[in-house]
Amino acid sequence: MITRALVGDAYTPVNANEVAYLPQALIEIDSSGRIDRVTPAADPSYAARLKAAEVQHLVEHLPADQVIWPGFVDLHVHAPQWPQAGLALDKPLAAWLNDYTFPLEAKYDDLAFAKRVYHELVHELLSQGTTTVLFFGTIHTAANLELARQCMQQGLRAAIGRVAMDNPDQTPDYYRDASAGEAVAATERFIHQLKELGAENPLAPLPVITPRFVPSCSDEALAGLGRLAHQYDLPIQTHVSESNWEHQYAIDRFGMHDAAVLDHFGLLTEKAVLAHGTQLAPKDQALLRERGSALAHCPISNAYFGNGVLPVQELLAAGNQVGLGTDISGGYSPSLYDNLRHAVALSQVRNDGVTTQDAGTAGSRISMTTAFYLATLGGAKALHLPVGQVQAGCLADLQVVSDRFTRPAESPQDRFERLMYQTTARELRQVIVHGETVIDHAG
């Protein structure tokens, strides 16, 4: 049964190199929160379908200066780090973790603190047009469940991982799992508690197996988490070859690259999402491709901590799955608009090099169309969710955006690119998740 219909100009990704423009499309949403049908204005059935919906008072005609496109999918957010977004980005990664990040994350044993931060974070992400998020939590199960409550209450589609970190050589004594056994057992308890909390809720967050990264985990913890991922058929998230330090750490400890270590412990699957990957060698890229594991490209964060630029164009051309992440708080901005712009900019830096002696890597540039794909359909494919497109059968997770500088003679493609560069949170008129408006500035 149709419960809502939007009429307006829409854009939707087709693939990494193509965006479809749907002028004055009729987008019908059913009671299950899915897009039942998208009817272009030129379709012979358009007038009749529009009239039928109007008779039932279901239609919202958008003004000419508004457009519709999919909600964004953020593949990498450290939820507890929101209070430090924009802090200490001039520090080396190890100092940033030990002096700022770990002390902050330890505070989430205070549930009141967690509730205050997570309420604000979820609202902020929705206000930026993000409708699906893959979250790292903390080691505190109660705080992670509070994050889940905030997502369900405010209408954010999410997957949440309880962070496992037990290696005493790389984690502080005040903030780590007591043992590998406890890391695995606590993760399993969290899986059951999250499923119970979200029972019967269409926006129930999905539990995610979450070893923080290889340096933070013992061999026993990595092996146990790999077994859990297969036992419960769950997504996995972690970092991979984020920096020179992490990449070399895996070599020194295991005699192999980060990706191979994860594979050894059963943590590279078609449901795995790996953040960063700036130091991946060609054989690592091939391994991820073979396993079907996706990469979360976090361009702002990588400019500070990644020691390199992910070869997005090369990866996509080879068939790797790639989406986009903000990496709060390694990335200072919760906006995927900011990150997709940085993705384009950094691809040009990679293409051209940074000095006259550095020739760069030709063919590295990506277009805004590709960046849009990363923020929508690329992320959706990584999470195996029917989101990221304005298309029949997809969940109705959408953004309605105002165009402050409408130019009548502009081509649809030019308008799309300009809006991708100019849109901020203040231009978002509505954010819709599961067919329901969760952010409303339409008035």
Side-chain angles (χ1 to χ4, degrees), residues 111 138-146 162 186-187 189-190 193:
L111 200 55
T138 64
I139 67 173
H140 312 102
T141 294
N144 297 329
L145 294 174
E146 181 56 39
R162 179 209 177 270
T187 297
R189 289 195 296 270
F190 172 69
Q193 289 174 293

Side-chain angles (χ1 to χ4, degrees), residues 221-401:
L222 292 169
L225 294 169
R227 287 192 295 270
L228 280 186
H230 290 269
Q231 178 182 345
Y232 291 98
D233 190 27
L234 287 174
I236 299 161
Q237 63 177 341
T238 190
H239 303 75
V240 65
S241 294
E242 175 180 4
S243 63
N244 293 339
W245 172 78
E246 182 191 351
H247 187 68
Q248 188 61 46
Y249 177 91
I251 295 170
D252 292 342
R253 177 172 155 189
F254 293 99
M256 62 180 88
H257 288 186
D258 217 8
V261 174
L262 295 171
D263 191 50
H264 173 76
F265 290 109
L267 292 164
L268 284 192
T269 71
E270 65 177 9
K271 291 187 176 181
V273 179
L274 312 173
H276 308 302
T278 58
Q279 308 304 312
L280 291 173
K283 66 178 181 180
D284 305 326
Q285 298 173 14
L287 178 60
L288 267 58
R289 192 161 57 247
E290 181 181 341
R291 298 291 185 261
S293 302
L295 281 161
H297 178 34
C298 305
I300 293 180
S301 171
N302 290 164
Y304 293 101
F305 297 123
N307 305 125
V309 178
L310 188 73
V312 174
Q313 188 77 299
E314 174 186 313
L315 288 161
L316 290 173
N320 287 81
Q321 292 286 350
V322 186
L324 201 63
T326 56
D327 192 25
I328 293 170
S329 68
Y332 60 81
S333 174
S335 167
L336 279 178
Y337 285 102
D338 285 344
N339 277 274
L340 59 84
R341 293 162 195 152
H342 277 77
V344 175
L346 286 183
S347 77
Q348 297 196 23
V349 171
R350 179 179 174 84
N351 189 87
D352 296 344
V354 295
T355 68
T356 54
Q357 288 75 40
D358 176 8
T361 305
S364 292
R365 282 192 177 95
I366 66 170
S367 67
M368 184 53 75
T369 294
T370 299
F372 179 62
Y373 165 85
L374 298 179
T376 52
L377 187 54
K381 287 183 174 182
L383 294 177
H384 303 274
L385 289 174
V387 297
Q389 288 183 295
V390 184
Q391 179 173 292
C394 286
L395 291 163
D397 294 1
L398 306 168
Q399 302 178 62
V400 178
V401 175

